[in-house]
Amino acid sequence: MPAALLALSDVELAELLRSHLVPRDQSKAGRDAWDKLWLAVRADGKLADRAYDILEEFLNATQDALERDEVPEAQKKRAAKFIELCQQSWARIDRGGSAPQYLDWAGKAGDFQPRARYVVNVLVTAIARHRATVREESPGTPADVELWAALREVKLDPDEYDYTEQLLAKDDE
């Protein structure tokens, strides 16, 4: 299933996700199919990234329309519910099972909302990769050292958790 989902265009995937924010078929088979869809999205990193981005676009567009007072009064409750469903979908992608839990290794320091957790994980991973590359050649520039110190300051330095090697290996998969 992930290969078929990855083959969808962004518009097709967005429509699929939007139409499956809640299970439409409440039968056991329908609920199982809905669970399998979200498990497939969560289990594939590239697919999860695309889904996060699509859900973020949904959220931003809806929140912007609400802030600009472009949503008719009769639809505001529905728009608020749509935002809630998008946020629940972020959480659905972020939790459980076989999917990596971004920043779990950092304990309370990694306790963010799902999208923020994902973004911070991407940044921490990029910094860890950069540090690993730089350290192969030199101790790093003063700017590098300052960046790495910032990770330690906010308690998100994978080196402090003996996690850098696992983090880098996991991302190479």
Side-chain angles (χ1 to χ4, degrees):
M1 182 190 287
L5 294 173
L6 282 167
L8 295 175
S9 71
D10 287 344
V11 171
E12 292 168 326
L13 183 59
E15 180 58 30
L16 178 71
L17 295 178
R18 188 191 58 74
S19 66
H20 288 84
L21 292 175
V22 295
R24 290 181 174 218
D25 180 353
Q26 295 299 320
S27 70
K28 178 166 176 20
R31 179 64 190 229
D32 287 347
W34 183 80
D35 286 337
K36 285 179 185 176
L37 168 68
W38 286 102
L39 177 62
V41 170
R42 182 174 72 228
D44 184 279
K46 288 181 182 172
L47 195 52
D49 291 348
R50 286 179 67 198
Y52 269 121
D53 291 343
I54 288 166
L55 291 167
E56 183 175 39
E57 287 178 27
F58 289 165
L59 282 167
N60 289 341
T62 306
Q63 288 169 333
D64 289 348
L66 284 169
E67 288 172 10
R68 290 190 307 264
D69 206 25
E70 295 174 350
V71 178
E73 194 62 39
Q75 296 295 316
K76 286 185 179 180
K77 189 173 183 180
R78 188 173 183 187
K81 180 65 175 174
F82 182 71
I83 289 170
E84 182 182 326
L85 292 174
C86 288
Q87 291 169 334
Q88 289 171 0
S89 296
W90 266 348
R92 194 175 304 116
I93 293 169
D94 196 46
R95 70 169 179 219
S98 61
Q101 293 299 297
Y102 300 120
L103 302 177
D104 273 356
W105 54 268
K108 283 195 171 274
D111 190 17
F112 300 102
Q113 292 295 321
R115 179 62 180 169
R117 178 179 230 183
Y118 164 75
V119 169
V120 171
N121 183 72
V122 169
L123 295 172
V124 167
T125 301
I127 294 168
R129 284 175 178 250
H130 170 77
R131 177 171 50 198
T133 302
V134 168
R135 283 186 175 165
E136 288 177 6
E137 300 169 11
S138 71
T141 67
D144 292 328
V145 173
E146 182 180 355
L147 179 62
W148 305 333
L151 279 181
R152 280 190 302 282
E153 183 179 330
V154 296
K155 304 201 181 338
L156 287 174
D157 186 348
D159 278 0
E160 298 291 313
Y161 297 89
D162 296 323
Y163 191 73
T164 299
E165 190 172 310
Q166 291 171 322
L167 183 71
L168 298 177
K170 183 184 286 188
D171 280 357
D172 285 339
E173 293 176 351

